[in-house]
Amino acid sequence: DGGITQSPKYLFRKEGQNVTLSCEQNLNHDAMYWYRQDPGQGLRLIYYSQIVNDFQKGDIAEGYSVSREKKESFPLTVTSAQKNPTAFYLCASSISLAMNTEAFFGQGTRLTVV
Amino acid sequence: SQQGEEDPQALSIQEGENATMNCSYKTSINNLQWYRQNSGRGLVHLILIRSNEREKHSGRLRVTLDTSKKSSSLLITASRAADTASYFCATFFNTNAGKSTFGDGTTLTVKP
């Protein structure tokens, strides 16, 4: 089945730790995105990538880092510099950054700082 | 503030009734998309409407776009309990490809 997979579904982080969230897609999409969702709110863009080895900051990139070494993978690292990381993280992909294409979302990773 | 803002924040209706949600935005867009999210899950794309389109249908969904008022509406007809979810509009801009803005969503509850 084609799709976009995020893992793990739940993640717990201690204060001061870095954690990495996985996002893999087998849709052959060029563009990939990371969003953060807080309770009762919409999505805010963290980073996006148009193509391998290229990525751009979104609206709330501080405290996060990404890499795009392979077309199908776009991992997100939540660093200790992110002061309020507890949130629901969603990864998405689309055929390209061309604006008339829909985005396909993973099922999300819920990160909790303990 | 968010580019796309949905109204109302919450909507509760009986099965069989129609549900209407509205979205307003602030700057010129290339297209506007509606997504659905079940609790604790990812988003599912429902419909895309381009800036040069005024109305679009998909099954029980009807979306309108008024670029002069910078607003869009999503109508779900003959609602079902399974339509219970949060609905988000997302705006995509003429410039800065990749940048999209999601509203805070409308939470729809359809009572059986």
Side-chain angles (χ1 to χ4, degrees):
Chain A
D1 287 337
I4 182 163
T5 303
Q6 290 185 243
S7 62
K9 189 171 182 179
Y10 299 97
L11 186 57
F12 298 90
R13 189 194 95 169
K14 291 183 180 179
E15 297 261 4
Q17 277 185 337
N18 292 356
V19 289
T20 297
L21 284 60
S22 170
C23 179
E24 304 275 333
Q25 53 98 359
N26 60 4
L27 299 166
N28 201 33
H29 286 172
D30 282 324
M32 296 187 75
Y33 314 81
W34 273 105
Y35 294 91
R36 170 183 172 136
Q37 186 178 31
D38 291 288
Q41 297 186 27
L43 279 63
R44 290 184 289 168
L45 183 64
I46 305 172
Y47 268 99
Y48 61 98
S49 168
Q50 182 172 358
I51 201 167
V52 173
N53 294 323
D54 175 77
F55 47 83
Q56 304 295 329
K57 292 182 179 180
D59 299 317
I60 56 164
E62 186 174 350
Y64 300 97
S65 65
V66 293
S67 62
R68 187 86 187 275
E69 297 176 2
K70 298 186 296 182
K71 185 176 186 177
E72 56 270 23
S73 178
F74 191 40
L76 173 74
T77 296
V78 184
T79 75
S80 57
Q82 171 49 239
K83 298 306 178 188
N84 185 22
T86 294
F88 189 49
Y89 291 87
L90 287 160
C91 179
S93 70
S94 62
I95 292 173
S96 72
L97 283 185
M99 291 164 281
N100 285 322
T101 59
E102 65 181 274
F104 292 79
F105 282 81
Q107 292 303 302
T109 292
R110 190 167 298 280
L111 173 64
T112 303
V113 173
V114 295
Chain B
S1 63
Q2 294 280 10
Q3 163 78 334
E5 297 184 1
E6 286 91 346
D7 167 58
Q9 288 187 327
L11 182 60
S12 182
I13 60 174
Q14 292 295 135
E15 208 166 26
E17 293 180 340
N18 295 344
T20 300
M21 289 158 263
N22 303 298
C23 170
S24 60
Y25 59 92
K26 294 177 181 171
T27 59
S28 294
I29 60 171
N30 179 280
N31 70 73
L32 185 145
Q33 301 183 27
W34 284 91
Y35 288 83
R36 166 198 168 120
Q37 183 181 36
N38 287 80
S39 181
R41 307 295 295 272
L43 276 69
V44 175
H45 181 265
L46 296 175
I47 200 162
L48 180 155
I49 187 164
R50 295 179 175 79
S51 59
N52 61 353
E53 297 176 314
R54 292 297 166 257
E55 188 171 311
K56 206 161 183 180
H57 296 255
S58 177
R60 292 184 297 112
L61 304 180
R62 172 179 170 251
V63 168
T64 62
L65 179 64
D66 187 334
T67 53
S68 66
K69 295 181 180 178
K70 292 187 169 58
S71 68
S72 173
S73 67
L74 170 67
L75 168 67
I76 304 174
T77 61
S79 62
R80 306 166 182 168
D83 294 330
T84 294
S86 292
Y87 293 82
F88 295 90
C89 69
T91 50
F92 292 77
F93 308 123
N94 285 327
T95 59
N96 205 348
K99 282 285 191 91
S100 57
T101 303
F102 285 76
D104 288 340
T106 293
T107 300
L108 173 66
T109 303
V110 181
K111 301 174 190 174

